[in-house]
Amino acid sequence: MASVAAVTRILLGKNLLNSGRVAVLPNTGFVKFYSAAPTYENIKIETVGAKKNVGLIQLNRPKALNALCKALFIEVGKAVKDYDADDSIAAIVITGNEKAFAAGADIKEMQNNSYSSNQRNGFLQEWEDVSNCGKPIIAAVNGFALGGGCELAMLCDIIYAGEKAKFGQPEINIGTIPGAGGTQRLPRYVGKSKAMEIVLTGNFIDAQEAEKMGLVARVFPVEKLLEETIKLAERIGTHSPLIVKMAKQAVNQAYETNLRAGLLYEKSLFYGTFATNDRKEGMTAFIEKRAPNFKND
């Protein structure tokens, strides 16, 4: 067996010992390998909240006002899927910076696309990683949320906005239309007439109007936005993760079917909660006048 000193020299030579992925166990000569946290170029990730149960994804292309290039969205999708699979994470927050949540798609990147290349390569397919997430996702929007930025916010389950936020679908100004849900999700938020006005003019709407129309749930001072959004995520995290997921599925169904079919779907999920231990624990705790101890079961 190699000595600890010899193992250490080998690891130092390979730049592994200080990487956070490898440690030499004292007095044994054995090496322990740790899985490396993913590194990203276009986003920052962090677990936040008092219980470290909120996954924070910050778009990080400040010079481009967080324009949504393909590489950025691949990273967002990867981070969302990782948080969705992590049992310690209750909810996810996506944000940008004070100047921009995301000021649209990266026009330079898509300028030379063709119809056939879009079809062949499944252009914008990566966006489904966000919409398929089972856990609640909250958008914390400061600054511009335009085009793809507005569509990304609408992919989330709840939108909180800073008081200076601006929303819009200005694709009409560059000879195209929204392509990641803008013409479909916006009418479901604000109604047909208002959605038509926004899409056909390319005009922006401010945070206060967005709240009035139902696009945004709440508006906060810029410096309070992220704090309040994390509080919301933490509040959601006090509930059963299993039941939260079922509730999210039921609400989303309302946007994808007619009322009768939606009511049947809701009832089937409601009945399904009675097969869970968390439903039993929740009702028992209520009757016993104590806080529930949910087990995600």
Side-chain angles (χ1 to χ4, degrees), residues 245-261:
K245 184 174 183 178
M246 295 171 75
K248 172 175 171 171
Q249 290 172 344
V251 174
N252 280 337
Q253 189 70 10
Y255 287 89
E256 298 169 3
T257 189
N258 59 51
L259 178 60
R260 181 169 180 80

Side-chain angles (χ1 to χ4, degrees), residues 230-245:
I230 292 170
K231 283 182 183 178
L232 172 63
E234 291 180 298
R235 178 74 178 93
I236 292 169
T238 65
H239 303 304
S240 161
L242 178 62
I243 303 304
V244 166
K245 184 174 183 178

Side-chain angles (χ1 to χ4, degrees), residues 42 57-68 72 94-105 139-146 148-150 152-153 160 162 164-167 222 225:
N42 300 286
I57 301 172
Q58 182 182 10
L59 311 183
N60 189 38
R61 296 186 72 207
K63 292 182 180 179
L65 295 178
N66 293 329
L68 300 170
L72 181 149
I94 298 179
T95 193
N97 54 48
E98 288 191 8
K99 188 174 291 186
F101 176 72
V141 178
N142 266 323
F144 294 111
L146 307 176
C150 187
L152 174 57
Y160 273 9
K164 296 181 181 179
K166 301 283 186 183
F167 297 84
V222 170
L225 173 64

Side-chain angles (χ1 to χ4, degrees), residues 262-285:
L263 289 170
L264 289 171
Y265 184 78
E266 177 192 72
K267 188 167 289 184
S268 69
L269 284 177
F270 170 68
Y271 289 170
T273 65
F274 283 76
T276 70
N277 290 323
D278 279 355
R279 190 282 312 168
K280 186 181 296 183
E281 166 63 13
M283 291 188 177
T284 301

